[in-house]
Amino acid sequence: MSIADDKEAGAGWLAIFLGLALIVLAVAVALAAAIGDYSIGVGTVFLAVTNGLGLTAADIPPIEQSVVWDLRLSRALVAALAGAGLAICGAILQALLRNALAEPFVLGVSAGASTGAVAVIVLGIGAGSVSLSMGAFAGAFAAFAMVALLSNGATSGPNHTILAGVAASQLFNALTSYIVTTSGNAQQARDVMFWLLGSFGGVRWPDFQLLVVVVFVGLAICLLMSRSLDAFTFGDEDAAALGVPVARIRLILFGVTAMITATIVSMVGTIGFVGLVVPHAARYVVGPMHLRLLPACAAVGAIFLVLADIASRVVAEQQTIPIGVVTAMVGVPFFAIILYRARPQQ
Amino acid sequence: MSISAHNLVWGVRHKTIVADVSLSVAPGETLGLIGPNGSGKSSLLRLLAGLKQPLSGRVEILGQDIARVPRRTLARQVAFVQQNAATDTNVSVRDVVRLGRTPHRSALSGWSAADEAVVSAALERVDMTGHRAQAWQTLSGGERQRVHIARALAQSPQVMFLDEPTNHLDIHHQIEILRMVRDLDLTSIVALHDLNLAAMFCDRIVVLKAGAVVDCGTPDAVLTETLLRDVFRVNAEVCAGPIPCQTHIRFKAA
């Protein structure tokens, strides 16, 4: 049973939870800006941020100003947004597909993005990092279009949609492997591997600006539809009987999740685990109703990825571990505790 | 008339499942829908509730053609209780019943005192008030079905459709659920398998065979030995009870 069982207590509980989460997130982001190969004091971080915002003109070394503002802060904020976005997408797909194993990549979006990225890295279609993102984005949408087509615009029911997603993933993964094995050299294969596991290296303010719009607009749309999402608890037909325009809601929400996921994947690669596990963890705390669940997912996902990014930079000296490795290694033990505590009491 | 259907036809590919069905239900009436497996009961129920679109024909509920009524408007007047609707989500009884208010709430409106009152009344009506905080997964089959009915009541409908609501329940709970449905101040249409229960609790019965209406009328008028042999392919003895609506069917082994 969820902790937030009583409705009135639930609203207050959620407010406290979100308030705490925001404070934790702020601390995590500050830590992310302070910690690294070049360690910077928290006081300096604070001044660098206020300098960057134009609120102060404190005299701190330009190198520290630049490291904090240009490199680490943008990176931490992109990590937070990516975590929030992936967690929201996971929660929505788990509800719409009525499948606890659903996650943001179930609709083939990551496989498509990989193919697009590999086409850029290995085949050299276009050049430079901008076109890598563009390639990934195009691939992601190609895969989503295929899934939408195979599942009649997502009207054919959850299992049909999942199978269409599996088919698209298999096809695009095969294409990726084909391109790498036939055209790639060892270095390119390594690059691809690294990209597939996800990395926040190289993200800058323009990435943040795009992602903040996509994630917040996406979250707003999903919150507006949260009542309808709740109505899917007992399936599509039941939702229809409760007055929900099922086909339209499914298509809009699949589109929104694909958009968020594709944007994230095209920037930072395929970061697994967040979208699968955070919704379950959040549901355990705030309950399954989406008006509460979605903000909680966003908060928990954001904190989780910022912390995971810090871990990825400090665990091994002088190198950065792929973020996907960290999310799984940090996340699994954490999730094991939740699974254990939430086991059915028979 | 509360509900009237005119020449409903529905099917998949080359198979007609509902063949030219017309019927009408008076306000407050409990109509039983019986027929053998595959006779089109569930499909007809969904056509009447607007969950499937007929290939031809139309359904009027409370004087409106339901094909022209928006889904949400319809859900404020018509509730549908599926058989054994299940979920893996960890929801509480109250969460489930609150879902019934979905068609009455806009995207941004809060939870009102009126909503709360309706939900409490619905829980009270099915005698589940004491279980309101209980987790759905821990309920028995009979309790789940009662919660589904409470959720349907929370829609404040005037018409309720129930698709074999007593499936998988023991006889006590079968009788309890159907008595509850009969005593509701609603027009209800219930698809049923158990002919004796249909005879006990329905004002009128519609008999379906291969998607078409074979007979329609009060239980004692409809449930005859000839009809049972023709439609259900069973030999049975029908005993008229001492009081009306006590028609009883005794099935014979051969």
Side-chain angles (χ1 to χ4, degrees):
Chain A
M1 199 179 296
S2 63
I3 295 166
D5 220 29
D6 190 76
K7 193 258 159 187
E8 290 72 23
W13 167 250
L14 181 71
I16 295 168
F17 177 80
L18 288 180
L20 278 177
L22 279 180
I23 294 169
V24 174
L25 181 61
V27 171
V29 168
L31 284 178
I35 295 171
D37 289 337
Y38 184 93
S39 192
I40 298 172
V42 174
T44 314
V45 167
F46 183 77
L47 288 175
V49 171
T50 51
N51 279 356
L53 291 171
L55 298 175
T56 57
D59 186 25
I60 56 174
I63 174 92
E64 298 195 352
Q65 172 71 34
S66 176
V67 165
V68 169
W69 182 258
D70 294 327
L71 299 180
R72 292 188 189 160
L73 187 66
S74 55
R75 176 183 177 130
L77 291 176
V78 167
L81 285 170
L86 290 172
I88 295 166
C89 292
I92 285 167
L93 291 172
Q94 284 166 11
L96 284 182
L97 298 173
R98 302 188 72 216
N99 191 320
L101 295 177
E103 41 107 26
F105 308 131
V106 77
L107 298 180
V109 167
S110 66
S114 310
T115 307
V118 163
V120 173
I121 295 175
V122 176
L123 301 181
I125 301 169
S129 68
V130 172
S131 62
L132 173 70
S133 293
M134 297 286 279
F137 196 81
F141 254 87
F144 177 68
M146 178 179 161
V147 173
L149 202 69
L150 284 179
S151 60
N152 300 333
T155 57
S156 308
N159 288 341
H160 202 100
T161 309
I162 290 174
L163 285 175
V166 169
S169 295
Q170 295 288 337
L171 175 67
F172 281 92
N173 283 336
L175 279 175
T176 304
S177 302
Y178 179 82
I179 294 171
V180 171
T181 47
T182 55
S183 312
N185 56 38
Q187 180 55 40
Q188 285 172 329
R190 201 179 135 84
D191 286 350
V192 168
M193 171 83 176
F194 200 78
W195 189 86
L196 286 180
L197 285 168
S199 164
F200 289 115
V203 297
R204 296 290 180 269
W205 285 114
D207 299 311
F208 170 79
Q209 286 156 4
L210 174 59
L211 197 52
V212 78
V213 174
V214 170
V215 169
F216 276 90
V217 169
L219 178 60
I221 294 173
C222 297
L223 282 175
L224 280 176
M225 297 190 170
S226 62
R227 296 255 165 76
S228 305
L229 269 173
D230 293 342
F232 280 87
T233 304
F234 290 95
D236 288 9
E237 188 174 66
D238 212 64
L242 287 170
V244 173
V246 171
R248 197 172 76 210
I249 296 277
R250 282 168 74 93
L251 200 58
I252 292 174
L253 288 177
F254 280 143
V256 167
T257 54
M259 183 76 197
I260 295 176
T261 312
T263 310
I264 293 171
V265 173
S266 69
M267 280 177 197
V268 299
T270 308
I271 301 173
F273 209 69
V274 182
L276 173 65
V277 162
V278 169
H280 289 296
R283 220 174 266 125
Y284 180 64
V285 180
V286 299
M289 295 298 152
H290 290 87
L291 198 60
R292 284 187 263 160
L293 179 62
L294 294 176
C297 279
V300 176
I303 294 168
F304 182 70
L305 261 200
V306 173
L307 293 179
D309 181 43
I310 296 174
S312 78
R313 287 184 288 137
V314 300
V315 167
E317 250 176 81
Q318 299 299 326
Q319 49 175 313
T320 302
I321 296 172
I323 188 78
V325 173
V326 179
T327 53
M329 282 165 78
V330 175
V332 170
F334 168 69
F335 190 56
I337 296 170
I338 290 177
L339 265 186
Y340 179 75
R341 292 192 57 186
R343 71 195 184 282
Q345 312 282 339
Q346 296 289 343
Chain B
M1 280 299 127
S2 198
I3 306 165
S4 57
H6 307 273
N7 309 99
L8 288 177
V9 177
W10 187 77
V12 284
R13 299 263 162 86
H14 303 295
K15 187 168 159 51
T16 304
I17 293 172
V18 174
D20 198 27
V21 170
S22 299
L23 55 82
S24 59
V25 193
E29 195 175 21
T30 301
L31 182 79
L33 217 52
I34 64 170
N37 289 337
S39 60
K41 294 189 297 293
S42 290
S43 301
L44 176 59
L45 210 58
R46 281 165 176 75
L47 289 172
L48 293 173
L51 294 173
K52 285 186 196 296
Q53 273 67 52
L55 297 176
S56 66
R58 72 198 153 85
V59 178
E60 283 176 18
I61 293 184
L62 308 167
Q64 350 153 56
D65 183 347
I66 62 167
R68 295 167 197 275
V69 179
R71 168 109 270 139
R72 193 161 149 232
T73 313
L74 192 63
R76 289 184 208 146
Q77 296 159 0
V78 178
F80 190 92
V81 178
Q82 288 184 331
Q83 52 171 317
N84 307 313
T87 182
D88 292 330
T89 312
N90 188 10
V91 281
S92 69
V93 166
R94 188 208 339 250
D95 287 337
V96 174
V97 179
R98 281 163 59 104
L99 288 179
R101 297 306 293 163
T102 306
H104 294 272
R105 303 170 75 194
S106 69
L108 297 172
S109 68
W111 183 251
S112 70
D115 290 326
E116 188 62 41
V118 173
V119 166
S120 297
L123 279 166
E124 190 66 46
R125 187 69 191 77
V126 302
D127 201 18
M128 286 294 285
T129 305
H131 297 267
R132 53 194 291 138
Q134 199 176 331
W136 168 263
Q137 313 295 350
T138 64
L139 297 176
S140 71
E143 288 168 338
R144 288 182 185 191
Q145 204 55 271
R146 265 148 65 191
V147 174
H148 276 311
I149 291 174
R151 188 175 56 127
L153 289 175
Q155 286 175 249
S156 310
Q158 285 152 285
V159 177
M160 194 187 292
F161 294 94
L162 300 100
D163 190 7
E164 295 177 27
T166 57
N167 243 6
H168 304 304
L169 298 185
D170 63 45
I171 186 66
H172 167 76
H173 286 103
Q174 292 185 17
I175 290 175
E176 185 189 60
I177 293 278
L178 288 176
R179 187 192 295 130
M180 188 187 290
V181 169
R182 182 194 58 188
D183 293 345
L184 290 172
D185 200 12
L186 295 174
T187 308
S188 31
I189 301 192
V190 192
L192 279 174
H193 260 308
D194 191 307
L195 303 179
N196 280 314
L197 287 176
M200 276 167 77
F201 291 106
C202 298
D203 299 319
R204 277 192 310 141
I205 287 178
V206 166
V207 185
L208 285 181
K209 184 185 178 186
V213 175
V214 178
D215 205 349
C216 175
T218 59
D220 9 340
V222 168
L223 294 171
T224 61
E225 286 163 16
T226 325
L227 179 126
L228 292 172
R229 191 167 51 243
D230 291 349
V231 176
F232 291 92
R233 292 182 296 166
V234 287
N235 286 318
E237 183 185 339
V238 177
C239 335
I243 45 169
C245 295
Q246 278 292 313
T247 304
H248 186 80
I249 302 162
R250 188 178 300 140
F251 299 104
K252 296 174 182 169

